[in-house]
Amino acid sequence: MVSTPKLVATLSILAAYSASAFTTPLINNVRNSRIPPMTQLEGMFGNAFANDDSLGKKVNPGLKKGPNVSECTVNGKPVKAVAGQKLSQVMNAARVKMTYSCQKGNCGTCELIMNGRVEKACVAKIPKGKCTISTY
């Protein structure tokens, strides 16, 4: 068995060395370190994101003339549609229930009449101009 004075001495030495593991190290000389102070960093990016005047006037990156809106009716109900939009999206917007099975145009479960022609709603797109759609 270890005597009490030796045990106390051993524990005090261990406590002294292990206490440094739970403290943060101090930076002794901040001025001589290689990290510049924040006042120097603040001025570095001052004009990094400024607009370049040599590029000309700022242009809106969106559609220049707006979307190609088609006059579309689904079962006699007027619906907003854009030329080139998927017919299945227009049918969902018009709240018309359609049955889709393959989503590729192979099975024919989504057939309807658009402008007098039989089309498949899963692959067809809205044409430019007027469009009349009727379901079976």
Side-chain angles (χ1 to χ4, degrees), residues 39-50:
T39 55
Q40 291 177 0
L41 289 176
E42 290 172 358
M44 288 176 63
F45 300 110
N47 294 328
F49 300 104

Side-chain angles (χ1 to χ4, degrees), residues 55-64:
L55 297 176
K57 188 177 178 182
K58 184 178 175 183
V59 178
N60 186 2
L63 299 171
K64 298 194 186 295

Side-chain angles (χ1 to χ4, degrees), residues 25-43:
L26 297 175
I27 299 174
N28 294 333
N29 195 354
V30 176
R31 291 183 185 170
N32 291 334
S33 68
R34 294 185 181 186
I35 301 171
M38 287 305 293
T39 55
Q40 291 177 0
L41 289 176
E42 290 172 358

Side-chain angles (χ1 to χ4, degrees), residues 2 17 23 27 31 37 40-41 45 48 88 95 104 111 113:
V2 180
Y17 283 114
T23 60
I27 299 174
R31 291 183 185 170
Q40 291 177 0
L41 289 176
F45 300 110
S88 59
R95 298 185 185 260
K104 296 178 185 175
E111 284 185 349
I113 299 172

